[in-house]
Amino acid sequence: MKTATDGDCARDLAANIREVRHGGREPLAQALAAAVADDLRAGIAQRGVASLAVSGGSTPRLFFDHLAQEDLDWSRVVVTLVDERWVPETDARSNAAMARKALLSNGSGRARFVPLYDDAPDPESALDVVDARLDDVPLPFDAVVLGMGLDGHTASFFPHGDRLAAALDPRGEARVISMRAEAAGEPRITLTLPTLLATQALYLHIEGDTKAQVLAQALAADATAEEFPIRAVVRYAGEPVRLYWCP
């Protein structure tokens, strides 16, 4: 765990991002899909199985389309989500439903999917059940692909969320945690920071100049993780975060 001053942290953060820029959404999605597919192939070659954690929302759909077309042994891949809204897959806002439709189709449908939602009244009631499911996900991940909102949130690490400090604790022992925040809408369940950082490759996929500006604000010396949770991801990542973005 780093114990540097705020000024030192600012320098560390700038050095902890490896930027890959493309001119548009299509080449960006293709490049990201190719990189993640290589990570999965490496995982399969090394231990016979590979694991991947992906984000929901609208940004990754094109990336999912391209990744699903990659030629690899999907039967040896385990896929889960970095976070989930507490809604069933019949709900249009379900990240699991979107992932199944956009990513787990045709050949890629042979991958094993581990959802984070459980048929319980709230995420707090299902934490033990969901945590137990993660026993079936090979860790460390071979790749984790995060997104970022215009408020600087990633996964379900929302600014001023009710469990944000616990979720971002780099020494925390919980693998999953519930999250409630005004901007989140529904209650959420999310992998914690240490769980997400347990990966061979950590990607941040953003699109548009506005999000690039938000990321720059998050990395500024006077910013805090409470205001911009993505800051904690970049700060505590053991290897540079692979930033894939296009204007």
Side-chain angles (χ1 to χ4, degrees), residues 69-80:
Q69 298 173 42
E70 286 285 338
D71 183 16
L72 58 93
D73 188 350
W74 284 100
S75 68
R76 296 180 179 271
V77 177
V78 181
V79 179
T80 192

Side-chain angles (χ1 to χ4, degrees), residues 18-112:
R18 186 196 311 165
E19 180 180 326
V20 179
R21 175 174 174 167
H22 286 272
R25 295 185 66 242
E26 186 74 28
L28 176 67
Q30 290 177 337
L32 180 56
V36 171
D38 283 345
D39 296 328
L40 298 178
R41 292 187 189 99
I44 292 170
Q46 291 169 6
R47 56 181 176 174
V49 66
S51 57
L52 169 67
V54 296
S55 300
S58 58
T59 299
R61 288 179 184 268
L62 190 56
F63 156 62
F64 285 171
D65 288 342
H66 286 286
L67 182 58
Q69 298 173 42
E70 286 285 338
D71 183 16
L72 58 93
D73 188 350
W74 284 100
S75 68
R76 296 180 179 271
V77 177
V78 181
V79 179
T80 192
L81 298 162
V82 304
D83 72 321
E84 179 62 281
R85 301 175 175 93
W86 204 249
V87 296
E89 290 189 33
T90 53
D91 192 295
R93 285 174 58 78
S94 166
N95 287 340
M98 191 273 281
R100 287 189 194 274
K101 180 178 180 180
L103 175 58
L104 303 173
S105 58
N106 298 321
S108 59
R110 292 179 296 149
R112 183 156 55 88

Side-chain angles (χ1 to χ4, degrees), residues 151-229:
D151 58 356
H153 88 265
T154 189
S156 282
F157 306 154
F158 283 89
H160 310 290
D162 66 339
R163 304 294 308 282
L164 182 62
L168 295 183
D169 183 353
R171 295 175 295 183
E173 296 182 358
R175 294 190 293 186
V176 290
I177 200 167
S178 62
M179 189 70 64
R180 296 168 186 266
E182 183 176 352
E186 304 91 343
R188 306 274 187 121
I189 190 167
T190 185
L191 302 186
T192 60
L193 180 63
T195 310
L196 293 174
L197 296 186
T199 181
Q200 301 293 342
L202 180 61
Y203 295 89
L204 177 59
H205 175 197
I206 63 174
E207 298 176 355
D209 290 333
T210 301
K211 285 193 176 181
Q213 292 168 5
V214 171
L215 181 60
Q217 291 176 328
L219 303 184
D222 59 348
T224 67
E226 184 177 16
E227 297 173 295
F228 298 96

